[in-house]
Each structure stands twice: as structure tokens, then as C-alpha cells.
Amino acid sequence: MGSAPPEVVSFLRDAEKELLDSAVEASQADWVHATYINDDTQALAARANARLMSATLRLAKESTRLSTAGLSSEQSRKVLLLRLSLPLVAPSEPVASLELARIVAEMQGIYAKGRHTPIGESEPVDLQALSRILLEVRDPVRLEDAWTGWHRVGREIRAPFARYVDLANRGARELGFPDTGTMWRSRYDMEPEAFSKEVDRLWQEVRPLYDSLHAYVRGRLRQVYGPDRVPEEGPIPAHLLGNMWAQSWEGILPLVAPPGFEAGFDLTRILVDRGTTAVDMVRYAEQFFVSLGLPPLPSSFWERSMFLRPRDREVICHASAWDLDFVNDLRIKMCIEITADDFATIHHELGHNFYQQACSKQSFLFREGAHDGFHEAVGDTISLSVTPEYLVRIGLLETAPDASRDIGLLLYRALEKVAFLPFGLLVDRWRWDVFSGRTTPADYNRTWWELREKYQGVAPPSPRSEADFDPGAKFHVPSSVPYMRYFLAHILQFQFHRALAKAMGATGPLHRVSIYGSPEAGARLRAMLEMGARNEWPDALEAITGERRMDARGLLEYFAPLQRWLEEQTRSLPKGW
């Protein structure tokens, strides 16, 4: 193969520099808006993102006119990633570009400012407080009130969302994609329709386990709330599952745990009793990655991150990891609470930061995950190693519970991980159909709940109509964040964990393994992280697992003892809905 034309070399060099400068400006504006919400920061973020989207679209369109003769595989990949570098591409007209940026900022602001006054309260409260009601309260009337109150936030988002779809699709078509959903699916190093089939294959591998868990949980909730509220064979009412979106069910463990179940420890209580601070929580997570041989986070991380909700202003509390200069200005934004859940969430978010740090020496277009599911999976892989044995090693537990309590611990993990799988799948399945036009604005809410029932087997607690817009009550929809990454991450994290356990020579049940302190596991993880997006994802998968195909064997091996137990528990119960 001959050498690349000089104009291509210079174009890619100049494009990466311009995109880096624009991305830094947009990241800084987004950070200020997310941590100090007002009309001014919203306008600044909108303008910065409009400039970034405009530059990306212009450069992507220019790249399609370049001669591809003589391009190396690295240069060809940069051209492809340039076209796919933003999940949201605005039309090239400046007015439309700015309008789209304003709409996204507006929808994010509506979401962040959402409030509801619960039954028995005198003041409106935010999503965090409403979520605590879903988690802690057992009165179904109060649960329904909190659920319905939060979901009203979607009503204001519905109209701007429909306009957002139109503008986003116009931008995608300028890049040669029929719609934004097709553009999102094109990011996975295979044809969009092939990716859809790949997702279906993975779901079918794990569905029998989900069906068993669903049947078990429905049966237990029927005993708690009675046959009038929980059907014997139908979908489970969404407000009874301990989470605002019924996407994870660990909050109802006390209601569905087997008789006599005791976890053996309460991590939340341990952390609180020790006087653990938000910074302490983050230090624990950083130390895990350092124990694997990764370098510590820069000092600026500790100076610039937002760990607590400020008392003097509105912020977006949704946990997220940031790399503002795409080199080493790493941060997390989170309103940390001293809980076991946030302990795990922090391990997850730092997974993003360590990935960002590891691939920062790559060219700008390669400073991301092999695909977005990889980025999400890294932190979750670490979370799987937050085992009782790990907690003993870092001094938070004196002794680990014995194996007799494994079923209870696995059930907790399944309520968190397995219960999530169908929700992780359906959010983007719904959006793919919206972007393609198969689902029109007149049917937004109806089709949303059809998918919720089809995949999750859940139903709304009260009648819904097209005056509602329940997808808008989920952060990622108004924020234009693709969601399939989370489904893929929930498959990949177990595949990673299984491979890293083998690399360190671990024996015994997979759910008991922690890779904490293993240089062998760390070397494999680091090899994958440092690749960034330079190679197609099968190469990155092979670097960490030795395999080139995503599969659910790790997940199924991890939960095999629980699956056998669930089959026994549900032998006389109906499955499906």
C-alpha cells in the first residue's frame, strides 16, 4: 500500500487539534453548567456545544471528500471515528445547530429542576429524595405517589424532545446516516443491523436467568402486597421494585430475601459508624486501581471534583466522570451519600477516569473506549471485586461471611445486575424506533410501555396517556446519552471478571473472587485500557480476555448457584407475563 496523500495527513492532524480545542471548551462549559445551573451557564454550555457540534459536522463532511487511497488502517479508523465522534450531530445551519444545543440544555435543566411534594410533606423534594421513598417506604399508596410525581417531569420534556429528534436526524443525514439511531449502532465495528442481531443474541443468552428472577420476585411481592396489587402471572407494578425506573431491584432485598437470610454485615452501617467521608469513599476506590499497578489520580482530581451537593445552588447530581482537557484534568461529579450503593458507584465512576488516564497518550480520536460498553464495563468489573474478602483486606470487615450466605449475596447482586439487563436493552430500542420514524410522537408513551412490558415484565402503577412522556423521566433520554452501552457493560463486566480471575490463578466460585492487589489481572486490564479506541473492539476484548466475541458465559457462571436455587424456588410458580 502506498503512502497517504499529504492533504489527508495534514487534514487529520489539523482536525484532531481543532476538535480537541473545541471539546475542551465544551467540557469546561458543561462542567460549569452541571455544577452551577442557571440561565447564564445554560446559555454558555449551549453555545460551546453548538460550536463543537458544528466543527465536528464540518470536519466529518470534509473527510468524506478525501481520497482514501493509501490510507493506513490507523488513518482509515480515524476518519470513521471522526464521523461517529458525537452521539448528537446538529444540522450544519448555524441557527439549527444552536437550536439543538439549546433544546438539550433546556431538557437537562427541566430534568435537574424536577420536584414533587410527596404525601405527608409540605415542601417539594428532588429526585434523590423521591428515590429514597421508592427504596425505603413500603406503603404502596406513598410509593405510587412518589413514582407518579417524579414522572410528571417528562411532560415538559415531551415537546422539545420531538423537535430534538427532528434536528438530530437532520444532522445524522448530513453525515450519510439515515437517522441518529443508525448512526449510534454504526459505532460497534459491524453493520448496524448486525449489531441489532448481536444484542438480541446476548439477550437470549441471559433471558432464562432473568425470567427465573422475575418469577421469584413477583411471587414474593405478591405475598407482601397481596393479590390485588401484584398479579400471579402478569407484569410487576413498576413502583414496587425499589427503583424509580424499576431498572435495579436490590432495594427490595428485605422483601424478597429467603427466610432467615442475613448478609452477615451492613456496609452502609460500617461506613457511617466509622465516620467515613465522601473523600474517604473515593480514596478507597482509587486505591483499588492503584493496587492493580495503575498510577494514582492527579492532585487536580481532588481539588476540582464535586463530591457533595452544594447548599447554595442547583446542580446535576447524577454521578458522572469527566476528562476536561483529555489529558489529565480528571474529575467526578456526584452528590455522594455514605452508603454501600454509592461505595460501588464510586468504584464504577473511577473506572472511567482510569480508562481516560490510561489512553491519554493516544491520538485525540483514540482517547476513548474500544466501544462505549467497554468504558462502562471497566468500573463495574472492579465493583464485582468488592467482595466480603476485599472488604476484609481493606479493613472494613473483620471476617467474611461463610459460604452458607452465598445465595443471599448472589440474590442481592442479581437484583442489581440481572434485573437491569432488559431495561438496559429497551431504552435504546425505543429510541432507535423513534429516530427511524417507526414510533411517532403520537405514540411515544404507548410504545415505551409496550417495550417495558415486553422486555422487563413491568407495568405502570396508574394509567398513562400521551399527555405523559415517561421516557423523559430517565436522565439519559433528555441528555441524549446512548444507553446500549450499559446493557453491553453488564455482559462484558462478567466476561472481564472471569478472564481476570483466570489470569490471577483464582480458584473457587467466580462470585467469591476479588482481583484486588493482583498484578497479573492489572497487566491485562492495563493492556486493554491503553489501547483506547485505536483498534476495533474485538482486539481490545482479546487483550483482556483472550476472546474476540462478547458472550454471557461469565455472567451465567457467576450466577450459576443462584440459578439452580431460583429454579427450585419457582418450581410451582408461573413464569412469564
Side-chain angles (χ1 to χ4, degrees), residues 41-53:
T41 61
Q42 179 173 310
L44 291 170
R47 285 198 290 271
N49 279 284
R51 285 191 290 271
L52 174 59
M53 287 190 287

Side-chain angles (χ1 to χ4, degrees), residues 144 147-148 155 445 460-465 468 470:
E144 180 176 342
W147 187 97
T148 304
R155 294 184 176 187
N445 224 44
S462 57
R464 312 304 289 165
S465 73
D468 299 301
D470 295 326

Side-chain angles (χ1 to χ4, degrees), residues 29 161 241 248 378-379 441 446:
F161 182 84
L241 288 163
S248 59
V378 169
R446 178 183 62 81

Side-chain angles (χ1 to χ4, degrees), residues 391-436:
L391 297 176
V392 170
R393 292 185 67 182
I394 64 174
L396 290 179
L397 270 183
E398 291 187 7
T399 58
D402 62 47
S404 66
R405 295 193 170 116
D406 279 6
I407 290 299
L409 294 172
L410 280 171
L411 178 60
Y412 174 86
R413 186 76 79 176
L415 293 170
E416 175 194 11
K417 302 287 188 179
V418 178
F420 175 83
L421 290 167
F423 187 79
L425 179 71
L426 71 86
V427 174
D428 277 357
R429 279 230 170 267
W430 179 80
R431 282 192 287 189
W432 294 347
D433 285 348
V434 167
F435 286 126
S436 72

Side-chain angles (χ1 to χ4, degrees), residues 162-185:
R163 178 61 175 160
Y164 146 87
V165 170
D166 177 59
L167 292 170
N169 277 343
R170 283 168 56 186
R173 285 193 290 270
E174 291 186 23
L175 286 183
F177 301 100
D179 59 72
T180 298
T182 304
M183 184 178 73
W184 287 0
R185 298 196 301 280

Side-chain angles (χ1 to χ4, degrees), residues 187-305:
R187 181 61 181 81
Y188 294 96
D189 299 317
M190 59 178 68
E191 291 298 318
E193 291 311 308
F195 177 68
S196 296
K197 292 178 181 178
E198 180 76 352
V199 169
D200 286 339
R201 177 185 66 80
L202 293 169
W203 168 241
Q204 291 306 319
E205 287 183 17
V206 299
R207 178 163 186 171
L209 175 58
Y210 178 81
D211 286 352
S212 295
L213 181 66
H214 182 281
Y216 173 77
V217 168
R218 181 176 56 194
R220 296 290 290 176
L221 290 179
R222 185 174 167 85
Q223 294 174 1
V224 172
Y225 291 109
D228 292 341
R229 295 191 181 275
V230 181
E232 184 177 16
E233 298 183 1
I236 302 171
H239 65 304
L240 301 181
L241 288 163
N243 174 271
M244 189 61 76
W245 308 278
Q247 69 179 54
S248 59
W249 306 345
E250 67 269 23
I252 60 168
L253 180 66
L255 301 183
V256 303
F261 164 75
E262 292 182 11
F265 65 95
D266 181 342
L267 180 55
T268 297
R269 176 53 52 198
I270 292 170
L271 293 169
V272 171
D273 288 348
R274 286 173 173 260
T276 307
T277 67
V279 172
D280 294 335
M281 299 265 280
V282 184
R283 289 286 186 190
Y284 279 123
E286 181 196 36
Q287 180 54 39
F288 196 118
F289 288 92
V290 172
S291 82
L292 300 176
L294 296 172
L297 294 167
S299 59
S300 60
F301 171 88
W302 302 98
E303 299 162 359
R304 300 172 182 174
S305 290

